[in-house]
Amino acid sequence: WHKQEIEGIHHAQGGLGSTGVFLVKLKNHGVVVLKQKVPDVAREIFAQCLLQSLGINAPAIRSLPFREFKAFTEKLAPSPVTVKGTCLEIHGSRMQETGGVLMEFVPGLELGSPLLRLSQNEFRKVLFEVGRMVAVDVLLNNADRTPFLRRGDGNPSLNF
């Protein structure tokens, strides 16, 4: 990101008290995801390593050292945004106190109507991958993606 021009930022609102994620479009280099560093960031990094070792597509993730985080967020300040107030959220006290995590953006499917357009073989493959993801979520006690571990709607748009 150091040498990349930033085309724009989209703020995807979070739930459960998080600041959500910031999708940062880099000119000629796709999208990266900036999110607030949480106390259990080591668990997220471990989960990413575990998923990749199991052959499950998972985004690369790394915790930004504080100076790099500050430099990155300063570079974002003049960037165009899709949601008013995005840069205020990035530069707000919650993000600035905790720091950030930078993730690779991995496109996926949101569960729902797009599944209806898949062939039977493609549908089975998606269900198999969802099952693997749910099994790892249960193993790691990751309750924010699917409602299998507790009551609630979950967040199925995360990493499927």
Side-chain angles (χ1 to χ4, degrees):
W1 68 263
H2 296 279
K3 298 177 183 176
Q4 302 302 316
E5 186 179 328
I6 296 170
E7 288 187 359
I9 309 166
H10 175 73
H11 182 203
Q13 296 288 334
L16 301 173
S18 85
T19 58
V21 298
F22 302 90
L23 304 166
V24 180
K25 174 85 169 88
L26 303 174
K27 189 170 188 175
N28 303 320
H29 289 281
V31 176
V32 294
V33 180
L34 174 68
K35 62 187 260 182
Q36 179 182 10
K37 188 183 294 183
V38 293
D40 61 351
V41 68
R43 185 178 82 156
E44 288 191 33
I45 293 170
F46 172 77
Q48 184 264 341
C49 292
L50 177 63
L51 289 168
Q52 285 190 332
S53 71
L54 294 172
I56 299 173
N57 194 15
I61 180 174
R62 72 181 179 91
S63 178
L64 294 175
F66 192 70
R67 283 188 185 167
E68 184 180 0
F69 171 73
K70 282 294 228 189
F72 188 53
T73 57
E74 286 173 12
K75 187 172 182 173
L76 295 177
S79 302
V81 297
T82 60
V83 179
K84 187 178 179 180
T86 293
C87 285
L88 294 175
E89 189 77 35
I90 291 171
H91 292 93
S93 61
R94 284 180 63 199
M95 280 288 283
Q96 294 300 314
E97 288 171 7
T98 62
V101 174
L102 199 60
M103 296 175 65
E104 169 188 27
F105 177 75
V106 177
L109 284 176
E110 206 173 306
L111 297 180
S113 61
L115 291 177
L116 301 176
R117 291 181 280 225
L118 297 176
S119 71
Q120 189 173 12
N121 284 340
E122 291 171 321
F123 185 72
R124 285 183 180 161
K125 183 179 178 188
V126 168
L127 287 182
F128 179 77
E129 294 299 321
V130 168
R132 288 178 10 149
M133 186 70 74
V134 169
V136 171
D137 281 349
V138 170
L139 177 69
L140 297 174
N141 195 27
N142 179 15
D144 69 343
R145 186 188 343 257
T146 58
F148 296 107
L149 300 179
R150 62 173 170 72
R151 289 184 183 190
D153 295 336
N155 191 353
S157 63
L158 295 175
N159 302 329
F160 280 122

